[in-house]
């Protein structure tokens, strides 16, 4: 079963969530603040991180940023009392996989954990791992995008979306289907999150003017690579 890092400064909620998740046969390490969470993350490997946003010493966003500096693959779920759109988008920009607003429904949390870890296992065995995108080389297995001698390290979500675009090159990548495959559901915040990742990918690929990720209104996106005749 999945090994989870849970960073939650509310002693009662942390204890309740840890007990519930262990009852569901997850292995859970509980950190009482952001600094302790970062210490535990550096000491061990985890399949999933659940981070409270508002914590002493180091908040959840900062902790997630530190985790992403060292690990672009481990899924991150934020727990927060905030429901503001700007906070959710900030979490997705850092590289979050999901965002749950308190009070936490334990069964919903379990369902989301199972969906995320299931997608991670499916993604871990890709049908193809290396792609040529114009003058770029994309190594999906190692989350690396190369332009000549320049290398960009992608997050898992960035790589997942770029792979899906490559697999559908020249064709429409359906937004709703992709959201359900990679996020588990197609709601407003996940759609906005996908837009953020598409924007990042465009910036990564900007050095080759023959490459374009075109938005097809109401449908999805198309990866186009123009070939000189």
């Amino acid at each position: 079963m999945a090994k989870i890092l849970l960073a939650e400064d509310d002693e009662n909620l942390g204890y309740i969530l840890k007990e519930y998740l262990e009852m569901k046969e997850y292995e859970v390490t509980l950190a009482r603040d952001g600094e302790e969470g970062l210490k535990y993350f550096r000491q061990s490997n985890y399949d999933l991180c659940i981070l409270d946003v508002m914590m002493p010493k180091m908040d959840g966003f900062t902790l997630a940023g530190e985790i992403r500096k060292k690990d672009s693959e481990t899924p991150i779920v934020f727990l927060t009392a905030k429901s503001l759109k700007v906070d959710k988008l900030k979490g997705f920009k850092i590289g979050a996989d999901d965002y749950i607003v308190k009070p936490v429904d334990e069964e919903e949390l379990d369902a989301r954990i199972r969906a995320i870890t299931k997608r991670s296992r499916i993604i871990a065995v890709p049908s193809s791992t290396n792609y040529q995108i114009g003058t770029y080389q994309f190594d999906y297995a190692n989350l690396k995008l190369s332009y000549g001698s320049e290398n960009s390290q992608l997050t898992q979500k960035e790589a997942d979306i770029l792979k899906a675009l490559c697999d559908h090159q020249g064709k429409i990548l359906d937004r709703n289907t992709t959201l359900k495959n990679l996020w588990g559901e197609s709601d407003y915040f996940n759609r906005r999150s996908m837009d953020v990742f598409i924007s990042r990918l465009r910036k990564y690929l900007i050095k080759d003017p023959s490459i374009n990720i075109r938005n097809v209104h109401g449908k999805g996106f198309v990866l186009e690579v123009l070939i000189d005749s």
Side-chain angles (χ1 to χ4, degrees):
M1 188 56 74
K3 185 177 180 181
I4 297 174
L5 172 63
L6 170 62
E8 170 58 67
D9 69 308
D10 184 310
E11 185 173 349
N12 290 331
L13 179 59
Y15 175 80
I16 290 170
L17 291 180
K18 185 175 188 292
E19 288 289 302
Y20 176 81
L21 292 175
E22 288 179 339
M23 183 179 70
K24 293 293 183 177
E25 299 184 348
Y26 296 105
E27 181 181 344
V28 182
T29 300
L30 176 61
R32 303 296 183 181
D33 57 61
E35 286 187 358
E36 188 173 60
L38 183 58
K39 181 186 75 173
Y40 287 147
F41 185 83
R42 287 171 171 168
Q43 291 174 346
S44 187
N45 295 317
Y46 295 93
D47 299 300
L48 180 79
C49 296
I50 302 175
L51 312 179
D52 181 32
V53 171
M54 301 299 294
M55 291 189 291
K57 298 184 181 179
M58 181 185 294
D59 64 70
F61 289 144
T62 303
L63 173 56
E66 291 299 314
I67 288 173
R68 282 289 175 253
K69 288 179 183 178
K70 297 183 174 296
D71 185 323
S72 61
E73 298 183 43
T74 302
I76 294 174
V77 175
F78 283 118
L79 294 180
T80 182
K82 294 184 176 182
S83 59
L84 295 177
K85 179 171 68 176
V86 65
D87 293 305
K88 290 190 175 184
L89 294 179
K90 181 177 180 181
F92 285 129
K93 286 179 181 178
I94 293 172
D97 292 80
D98 211 338
Y99 204 111
I100 298 178
V101 178
K102 297 178 181 178
V104 180
D105 182 292
E106 290 91 346
E107 291 185 358
E108 178 187 0
L109 177 60
D110 179 36
R112 295 199 185 196
I113 290 171
R114 291 179 186 278
I116 290 171
T117 54
K118 181 179 178 181
R119 292 198 300 273
S120 297
R121 287 193 295 270
I122 292 171
I123 289 165
V125 188
S127 57
S128 179
T129 60
N130 293 287
Y131 298 86
Q132 180 79 38
I133 313 171
T135 51
Y136 285 83
Q137 297 285 337
F138 172 37
D139 180 354
Y140 173 78
N142 292 303
L143 309 179
K144 186 170 70 174
L145 184 65
S146 303
Y147 180 81
S149 61
E150 299 178 20
N151 297 316
S152 297
Q153 192 67 40
L154 306 181
T155 67
Q156 184 66 60
K157 192 74 75 179
E158 289 168 346
D160 293 341
I161 295 172
L162 185 54
K163 181 182 186 299
L165 286 165
C166 290
D167 288 339
H168 292 78
Q169 184 175 326
K171 302 176 183 178
I172 295 176
L173 176 66
D174 184 76
R175 177 194 286 269
N176 289 332
T177 300
T178 304
L179 284 168
K180 289 176 181 177
N181 287 341
L182 299 183
W183 274 268
E185 58 183 318
S186 175
D187 60 19
Y188 172 80
F189 292 109
N190 287 339
R191 291 195 298 273
R192 288 291 293 117
S193 176
M194 185 174 182
D195 290 340
V196 169
F197 283 107
I198 290 291
S199 178
R200 285 190 200 171
L201 292 175
R202 286 178 175 138
K203 290 179 180 178
Y204 282 128
L205 299 167
I206 198 169
K207 292 182 179 179
D208 187 341
S210 73
I211 301 172
N212 179 42
I213 301 177
R214 178 166 58 88
N215 181 26
V216 181
H217 183 69
K219 296 290 186 180
F221 301 91
V222 179
L223 174 62
E224 300 173 324
V225 180
L226 303 178
I227 301 174
D228 293 333
S229 56

